[in-house]
Amino acid sequence: MVATELRTDPITGRTVAIDLGPFRRRDDFDLQPARLDDPPAQCPFCEGREAQAGPEILAWREGGPANLPGWSVRVVPNRNSMLRIEGRTDVRSDGLLESRDGLGAHEVIIETPIHDQPLHTLDADRLWRVLWAWRTRIHDLKRDSRFSSIVIFKNHGRSSGARLDHSHSQLTAFPLIPPALADKLLGASRHMSINGTCVFCGLLSQELTDRRRMISDQGAVLAIAPYASRVPFETWLMPRDHSARFEEATDATLHALASTFKSVMARIDWALERPAYNCVLHTAPLSGEADAAFHWHLEIIPRVTRYSGLEWGSGVHRNPVSPEEAAEVLRGRSEG
Ligand SMILES: [Zn+2]
Ligand SMILES: [Zn+2]
């Protein structure tokens, strides 16, 4: 029988069940091929089909006109958007029931003009341009006072929710604080009010001393396997120095993030045989009091396990690989 430990996430307080047995990759994992194998000939994100992808909001171009080939990163409205840029901001009530217009922005960042080029295989400068596009779009959207928060995420591979193989990320600007961010903000604010410090800074300091869950401590962006990891090889990338807002990251910090992301994803690809994964950028709300308490971070969530009734019913994730074991495996693999 596998020994299991119930761990509490130091930020949100959520419970995770961690199996403490040895790393058993093949037995426990759902290692479906990540690729969807959608035909490049019909892909709207490939260079030359700019009209299909939609009018560009932002692009990195070495000269040349908009909406034609010649770009390396391109941002367009999401054609399957769940949010609309026009709408009312008020909340409607019907007894116990509440709703509001699906107001917001939903954009797609096409990360490369080439169909079969996963994000972490871009060279570091090209990957930096993707992060530059994220930062630039947050700066622009935060001028719209109807929006409270921005979440950037990435679906890669079949079981991540992706619909296309062509590498892209998505940005959502909400008129509210979504629950996953709200949980973190609440925990961070609680820690600040009791201890007067940033919980993420405290966590990084403890992990740098402990070492068991440290994956990479090179440069300005660190990689850790979180203590209460929900899935095997969950990884958080965080700036070493306190910073609540991704949009305030310097060019140098974005270069450090690009480099750490490349190296960590290369190792995860090796350990899990090129898995599907999600990435989520959590950054402080666009206005408010979170600057001292919150600390931006990028979560990498490999999708090699499935949610079951346990997760839906209890909110407790069962993780068959301890973060100590995952960090050891990822540390043991040199970059490449
Ligand atoms: Zn394509
Ligand atoms: Zn901090």
Side-chain angles (χ1 to χ4, degrees), residues 197-202 204 238-244 291-296:
T197 55
C198 164
V199 66
F200 296 91
C201 283
L204 283 181
M238 289 199 247
R240 185 187 295 266
D241 296 331
H242 180 76
S243 171
D291 283 78
F294 200 70
H295 193 125
W296 71 259

Side-chain angles (χ1 to χ4, degrees), residues 207 213-215 223-229 233-236 323-324 326-327:
E207 297 295 9
R213 288 168 294 276
M214 186 57 65
I215 297 167
I224 63 165
Y227 178 71
S229 292
F233 292 80
E234 179 172 345
T235 302
W236 292 0
E324 293 76 18

Side-chain angles (χ1 to χ4, degrees), residues 199-226:
V199 66
F200 296 91
C201 283
L203 193 60
L204 283 181
S205 162
Q206 184 167 339
E207 297 295 9
L208 278 164
T209 305
D210 184 296
R211 312 299 307 171
R212 282 177 295 170
R213 288 168 294 276
M214 186 57 65
I215 297 167
S216 166
D217 65 351
Q218 304 298 307
V221 173
L222 309 178
I224 63 165

Side-chain angles (χ1 to χ4, degrees), residues 1-141:
M1 187 183 296
V2 178
T4 299
E5 195 166 74
L6 297 176
R7 293 190 178 179
T8 305
D9 182 84
I11 295 142
T12 61
R14 73 176 162 234
T15 303
V16 174
I18 305 270
D19 291 352
L20 298 176
F23 173 48
R24 293 155 297 135
R25 179 170 62 187
R26 293 194 171 276
D27 295 350
D28 291 336
F29 291 178
D30 178 20
L31 287 176
Q32 293 182 35
R35 288 182 56 83
L36 287 90
D37 286 326
D38 54 323
Q42 292 164 25
C43 174
F45 294 167
C46 280
E47 187 167 35
R49 295 198 198 94
E50 288 75 17
Q52 280 185 44
E56 70 197 34
I57 301 166
L58 176 73
W60 183 293
R61 293 178 171 279
E62 310 296 342
N67 298 312
L68 288 173
W71 49 278
S72 55
V73 177
R74 192 163 183 262
V75 183
V76 296
N78 188 321
R79 293 207 148 176
N80 189 30
S81 176
M82 65 170 182
L83 301 165
R84 296 281 174 266
I85 204 76
E86 299 300 334
R88 290 164 42 183
T89 55
D90 58 311
V91 176
R92 296 180 288 274
S93 294
D94 176 13
L96 293 172
L97 313 177
E98 270 187 6
S99 68
R100 60 201 302 169
D101 282 1
L103 167 75
H106 191 172
E107 302 177 355
V108 176
I109 299 96
I110 307 169
E111 297 164 339
T112 163
I114 297 167
H115 188 73
D116 193 11
Q117 200 170 46
L119 179 59
H120 70 278
T121 66
L122 298 179
D123 72 38
D125 274 345
R126 296 276 305 282
L127 209 162
W128 182 88
R129 292 176 199 175
V130 173
L131 304 176
W132 163 85
W134 291 5
R135 187 180 64 185
T136 307
R137 291 306 304 140
I138 297 175
H139 270 299
D140 186 35
L141 286 161

